[in-house]
């Protein structure tokens, strides 16, 4: 009973959200380098010049390609939270030592593509970037961690966008596979577990509209699924011991009413958002209901015979997933103020759940429920690589950030995780999201804190970046030391 021996415990971060050093060590800009912070109510904004040379900004999720004549640009009077982020680029040794002190047996971060290939294949490999990650992974390994590394996480190099026009172009597949090949080859001595695309399903259309953007996203997604499969094949060729997982944004939702139409809407929501991508990566082919989705959006991606073969030969070895909050689905009309935000998905409020300041509904039982859905469907090793809560926090007068709400959140989720394992779920690891404070992906804020380690930096750039251990730091250390038994 309880967590199996060797269960992996650790934390999760990502290159663009933690590193800073945005224009150092030969790195080229990535899309989110052009973003400023939003707030509890507003997503992060991306800034550029429109075709008349006028400065404009929009929700960063709305921008994957710029219209003809527009240009990304930096403006001196704006503060870009990503540029310094938590300054992991310069302080990784200190941070990894803190992870070690907590007793981590694993940790997850991503590799910035723009550090390895700043200008794509044709620009050549940036050796300084290669050496940076080598030292990060080597240090982690020396500190007793078995790292799980993500190749691509929300940090598309702008140079590739300029060269190829982004993921609608299949040239991106070759770019990605080459980048992956370099990473597997260079780091295989330190990294045995890999994930290809973080939350690959995040670009899945959700509003049921036949818009150009939705159609484009289905093509992007197809190209990314093929790129992930090809990278997985390459990893296995380089070293058959490498394990390569997919990583799916976990959405758990409930029907608002027992109306059968609500029930099927909820199920389709799960099929569309989770299973469309996960089935393809875990089974090696698109699920039958893909036809319904392609019909709904009025597009069928072009799937070549080679794609089919690669999807089948490049199936994932394990399923990585994230889980933060749950949502509610309904076909009935609900009042505007019965809506709330969520992890990417706007959702209907659940009267049985509390939410954080950003409206994400806290639901530990939903975590167990989702794990069962995944386990039943794929019967494969599972790794929860993200679970956490965003809170507004500061250090107290005693210099310590007291964060009982975070401890409570993780305690309840770990309890449900333990139950799930005892009920048969094949989960082999857990990394909490943002084990150290970092930039929020959705709102670009530094004020939205996720860590067990406090980082002194706010949305406006005030702070000296010093680190301090929160109460949760000591709590999680105890959890790890007891292999999940001591949760008090
Ligand atoms: C996950 C992403 O979906 O949500 C992370 O993989 C992200 O990158 C996390 O940070 C929390 O979301 P946010 O918007 O609060 O940063």
């Amino acid at each position: 009973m309880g967590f199996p021996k060797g269960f992996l415990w650790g934390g999760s971060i990502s290159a663009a959200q933690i590193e800073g050093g945005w224009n150092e060590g030969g790195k080229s800009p990535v899309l989110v380098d052009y973003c400023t912070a939003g707030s509890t109510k507003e997503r992060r904004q991306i800034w550029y010049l429109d075709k008349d040379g006028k400065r404009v900004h929009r929700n960063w999720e709305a921008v994957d390609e710029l219209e003809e004549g527009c240009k990304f640009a930096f403006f001196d009077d704006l503060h870009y939270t990503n540029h310094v982020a938590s300054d992991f680029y310069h302080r990784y040794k200190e941070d990894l030592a803190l992870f070690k002190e907590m007793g981590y047996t694993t940790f997850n971060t991503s590799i910035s593509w723009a550090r390895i290939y700043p200008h794509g294949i044709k620009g050549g490999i940036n050796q300084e970037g290669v050496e940076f990650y080598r030292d990060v992974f080597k240090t982690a390994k020396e500190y007793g961690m078995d790292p799980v590394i993500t190749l691509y996480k929300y940090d598309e190099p702008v140079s590739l966008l300029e060269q190829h026009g982004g993921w609608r172009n299949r040239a991106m597949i070759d770019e990605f596979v080459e980048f992956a090949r370099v990473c597997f080859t260079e780091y295989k001595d330190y990294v045995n577990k890999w994930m290809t695309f973080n939350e690959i399903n995040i670009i899945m259309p959700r509003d049921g509209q036949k818009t150009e953007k939705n159609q484009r996203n289905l093509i992007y997604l197809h190209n990314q699924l093929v790129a992930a499969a090809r990278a997985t094949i390459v990893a296995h060729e380089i070293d058959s011991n490498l394990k390569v997982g997919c990583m799916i944004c976990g959405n758990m939702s409930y029907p608002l009413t027992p109306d059968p139409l609500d029930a099927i809407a909820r199920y389709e929501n799960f099929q569309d958002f989770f299973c469309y991508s996960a089935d393809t990566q875990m089974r090696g082919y698109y699920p039958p209901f893909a036809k319904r989705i392609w019909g709904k959006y009025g597009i069928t991606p072009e799937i070549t015979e080679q794609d089919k073969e690669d999807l089948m030969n490049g199936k994932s070895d394990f399923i990585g997933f994230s889980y933060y909050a749950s949502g509610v689905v309904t076909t009935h009309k609900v009042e505007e103020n019965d809506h709330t935000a969520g992890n990417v998905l706007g959702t209907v409020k659940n009267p049985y759940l509390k939410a954080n300041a950003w409206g994400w509904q806290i639901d530990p039982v939903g975590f167990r429920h989702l794990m069962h859905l995944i386990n039943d469907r794929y019967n494969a090793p599972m790794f929860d690589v993200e679970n956490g809560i965003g809170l507004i926090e500061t250090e107290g007068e005693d210099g310590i950030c007291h964060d009982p709400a975070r401890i409570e959140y993780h305690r309840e989720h770990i309890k449900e995780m333990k139950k799930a394992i005892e009920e048969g779920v094949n989960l082999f690891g857990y990394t909490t999201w943002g084990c150290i404070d970092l930039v929020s992906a959705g709102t670009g804020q530094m004020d939205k804190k996720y860590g067990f380690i406090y980082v002194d930096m706010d949305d406006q750039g005030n702070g000296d970046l010093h680190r301090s251990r929160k109460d949760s730091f000591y709590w999680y250390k105890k959890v790890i030391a007891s292999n999940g038994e001591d949760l008090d």
Side-chain angles (χ1 to χ4, degrees):
M1 297 301 267
F3 290 94
K5 199 164 164 268
F7 185 81
L8 295 174
W9 295 96
S12 196
I13 54 180
S14 83
Q17 293 175 263
I18 187 108
E19 285 176 9
W22 72 285
N23 59 357
E24 290 178 60
K27 177 182 163 292
S28 65
V30 299
L31 267 186
V32 289
D33 286 336
Y34 294 89
C35 288
T36 53
S39 64
T40 51
K41 302 271 174 296
E42 192 190 45
R43 308 293 277 172
R44 72 161 94 171
Q45 300 291 305
I46 188 158
W47 296 75
Y48 56 97
L49 295 169
D50 72 8
K51 53 183 181 341
D52 303 319
K54 211 170 91 215
R55 158 170 147 171
V56 284
H57 62 97
R58 358 177 196 161
N59 178 346
W60 74 293
E61 278 137 330
V63 179
D64 40 23
E65 296 182 2
L66 280 190
E67 292 102 49
E68 190 92 19
C70 299
K71 220 167 94 193
F72 289 113
F74 292 109
F75 304 97
D76 289 345
D77 59 326
L78 298 181
H79 176 67
Y80 301 94
T81 39
N82 266 86
H83 288 192
V84 172
S86 312
D87 199 31
F88 183 80
Y89 186 68
H90 298 108
R91 299 170 193 241
Y92 64 92
K93 284 204 198 273
E94 177 187 353
D95 294 342
L96 290 170
L98 287 164
F99 299 167
K100 176 182 177 221
E101 191 182 325
M102 267 189 280
Y104 283 14
T105 52
T106 186
F107 109 104
N108 167 239
T109 191
S110 60
I111 297 177
S112 175
W113 194 344
R115 283 198 195 284
I116 305 294
Y117 270 119
H119 302 286
I121 300 171
K122 79 169 192 211
I125 297 173
N126 172 35
Q127 201 55 36
E128 205 174 336
V130 172
E131 296 314 323
F132 167 69
Y133 289 109
R134 191 189 315 284
D135 202 43
V136 171
F137 303 151
K138 195 162 166 262
T139 309
K141 189 102 192 149
E142 281 165 9
Y143 285 174
M145 294 170 228
D146 173 10
V148 49
I149 300 304
T150 305
L151 289 168
Y152 177 90
K153 181 155 182 172
Y154 306 147
D155 61 346
E156 183 159 328
V158 171
S159 62
L160 290 180
L161 202 64
E162 287 166 353
Q163 272 182 60
H164 303 300
W167 277 100
R168 76 163 80 202
N169 187 340
R170 293 177 70 101
M172 288 296 286
I173 301 177
D174 300 332
E175 291 278 2
F176 180 79
V177 174
E178 212 32 56
F179 159 58
R181 185 191 307 278
V182 172
C183 295
F184 298 140
T185 310
E186 294 289 342
Y187 308 129
K188 64 179 182 337
D189 292 344
Y190 322 104
V191 182
N192 166 259
K193 294 180 188 57
W194 294 86
M195 293 188 297
T196 42
F197 287 77
N198 180 71
E199 296 185 332
I200 196 165
N201 55 330
I202 209 97
I203 58 173
M204 191 65 194
R206 292 185 282 272
D207 60 10
Q209 305 297 313
K210 288 190 172 90
T211 57
E212 206 245 318
K213 175 148 173 73
N214 283 342
Q215 295 179 343
R216 207 160 72 205
N217 277 6
L218 284 170
I219 296 171
Y220 286 4
L221 183 51
H222 175 71
N223 289 343
Q224 294 187 350
L225 289 166
V226 172
R230 289 197 191 154
T232 306
I233 296 170
V234 167
H236 293 153
E237 283 166 1
I238 291 174
D239 183 341
S240 56
N241 288 318
L242 297 184
K243 299 285 177 223
V244 187
C246 55
M247 194 318 204
I248 312 287
C249 177
N251 77 317
M252 177 62 215
S253 54
Y254 308 102
L256 181 67
T257 74
D259 181 346
L261 290 175
D262 273 8
I264 189 109
R266 193 239 36 118
Y267 190 65
E268 286 182 356
N269 174 283
F270 183 60
Q271 284 184 319
D272 289 23
F273 190 62
F274 194 95
C275 308
Y276 177 85
S277 303
D279 284 10
T280 310
Q281 297 200 275
M282 296 305 294
R283 296 174 176 166
Y285 54 91
Y286 280 106
F289 60 81
K291 283 208 184 94
R292 172 180 60 71
I293 295 171
W294 297 333
K296 178 161 70 175
Y297 291 104
I299 190 163
T300 303
E302 190 202 337
I303 307 170
T304 66
E305 286 309 308
Q306 186 65 49
D307 291 351
K308 286 186 194 159
E309 212 176 286
D310 291 339
L311 288 173
M312 183 49 79
N313 293 332
K315 284 189 285 186
S316 303
D317 298 319
F318 64 90
I319 180 160
F321 64 99
S322 59
Y323 176 82
Y324 291 84
S326 67
V328 172
V329 171
T330 185
T331 55
H332 295 261
K333 197 167 160 18
V334 291
E335 297 300 323
E336 198 44 46
N337 62 3
D338 282 335
H339 277 100
T340 183
N343 185 17
V344 256
L345 306 168
T347 177
V348 175
K349 276 186 195 157
N350 186 329
Y352 298 95
L353 301 177
K354 294 197 183 106
N356 72 356
W358 288 262
W360 298 27
Q361 307 187 115
I362 304 166
D363 181 10
V365 174
F367 184 33
R368 175 158 57 103
H369 193 152
L370 177 70
M371 283 189 273
H372 275 294
L373 293 177
I374 300 174
N375 197 60
D376 295 350
R377 195 168 180 108
Y378 303 111
N379 189 26
M382 293 162 51
F383 195 164
D384 175 47
V385 283
E386 287 186 30
N387 172 238
I389 183 164
L391 299 166
I392 293 170
E393 295 169 334
T394 48
E395 287 171 322
E397 282 179 6
D398 55 0
I400 296 173
C401 172
H402 302 286
D403 55 348
R406 170 163 298 101
I407 294 177
E408 174 73 8
Y409 178 94
H410 285 289
R411 177 187 292 128
E412 295 312 309
H413 283 76
I414 292 174
K415 276 187 195 161
E416 293 299 325
M417 187 163 78
K418 184 174 173 195
K419 271 192 213 159
I421 290 175
E422 289 173 350
E423 289 163 355
V425 164
N426 182 9
L427 186 79
F428 68 90
Y430 175 72
T431 51
T432 64
W433 173 248
C435 42
I436 174 166
D437 295 340
L438 36 57
V439 180
S440 153
T443 68
Q445 292 178 273
M446 277 300 295
D447 284 346
K448 189 176 190 185
K449 306 283 188 193
Y450 273 98
F452 298 139
I453 300 162
Y454 180 81
V455 175
D456 187 42
M457 180 51 63
D458 71 9
D459 290 352
Q460 284 75 41
N462 306 308
D464 63 10
L465 290 161
H466 75 257
R467 276 66 170 140
S468 65
R469 297 163 184 80
K470 302 185 190 177
D471 285 348
S472 55
F473 180 98
Y474 301 102
W475 174 81
Y476 194 46
K477 185 175 172 175
K478 244 176 19 171
V479 172
I480 297 176
S482 64
N483 198 23
E485 288 306 311
D486 185 354
L487 298 175
D488 292 337

